[in-house]
Amino acid sequence: MSLDNLKKRIKRNEGYSQFPYKDQLGYQTIGYGHLIKKNEKKYFTKTFTKKYFEELFEYDFQKTVDVYKKIFSQNSHNTNERDLLIEMLFQLGPKGVLKFKKMLFYLKKKEKYMTCLEMMDSLWYKQTPNRVDNLIKHFIVD
């Protein structure tokens, strides 16, 4: 189960910043989309190397894969479905993804068209349309 292409895609979609910045929702973020937690004030006072942020991404990515396995362990997803959900989890977190009840329903039924429509009929799509469009393109390819 190689996830290298997915990692590259997430990094490209997240972008990279060595310094804290606010994401579309105003949350402080750094590196490759790492959400800065309250106990991580060090990111505002110290400078870190790109190698550090590469390692932080690997840690965040592995945590996301673990969450995917925990939440969706009963489902048999193909690679495109798995990658879609992992990237959504990376961007939105588990609480955000689980709000997509209709999308998850259609995904489970293997109804790609309806899954994509539900992705597009969301606040998430309004906030990051290019990213969601890109995810849909990768998802619908067989």
Side-chain angles (χ1 to χ4, degrees):
M1 166 164 103
S2 174
L3 296 168
D4 291 340
N5 287 337
L6 176 59
K7 285 181 188 179
K8 287 177 191 167
R9 191 173 79 213
I10 290 173
K11 281 179 158 182
R12 191 172 51 250
N13 286 335
E14 288 292 339
Y16 170 77
S17 177
Q18 186 178 0
F19 304 102
Y21 66 94
K22 288 187 178 181
D23 69 9
Q24 286 102 332
L25 299 178
Y27 295 110
Q28 290 288 346
T29 308
I30 198 164
Y32 295 99
H34 176 79
L35 182 66
I36 299 174
K37 296 168 195 72
K38 287 180 182 172
N39 65 342
E40 294 180 322
K41 294 185 183 357
K42 64 185 177 185
Y43 294 121
F44 298 103
T45 58
K46 290 165 104 181
T47 307
F48 295 87
T49 63
K50 186 160 187 178
K51 183 179 185 300
Y52 173 87
F53 288 118
E54 294 283 343
E55 292 169 1
L56 181 60
F57 172 80
E58 289 295 328
Y59 174 79
D60 287 346
F61 182 83
Q62 190 54 55
K63 259 182 28 184
T64 303
V65 170
D66 293 344
V67 168
Y68 165 79
K69 288 176 181 175
K70 183 178 176 187
I71 294 174
F72 298 106
S73 61
Q74 312 87 336
N75 302 68
S76 57
H77 292 132
N78 65 34
T79 302
N80 291 356
E81 294 165 345
R82 176 202 69 195
D83 289 359
L84 168 71
L85 290 169
I86 290 172
E87 185 157 354
M88 287 181 74
L89 285 165
F90 192 92
Q91 185 185 8
L92 304 171
K95 288 179 184 169
V97 172
L98 292 174
K99 290 179 183 174
F100 284 79
K101 292 182 185 344
K102 288 181 185 176
M103 186 210 85
L104 293 170
F105 170 80
Y106 290 121
L107 184 65
K108 196 170 189 173
K109 291 200 162 289
K110 306 286 186 191
E111 294 185 26
K112 281 187 175 187
Y113 179 73
M114 293 303 292
T115 300
C116 293
L117 281 178
E118 289 301 325
M119 290 166 64
M120 293 171 71
D121 185 26
S122 68
L123 178 59
W124 173 52
Y125 184 78
K126 288 179 180 81
Q127 292 166 339
T128 56
N130 293 337
R131 185 170 190 166
V132 178
D133 285 340
N134 185 27
L135 277 173
I136 288 171
K137 285 177 193 163
H138 283 91
F139 171 66
I140 60 174
V141 174
D142 283 324

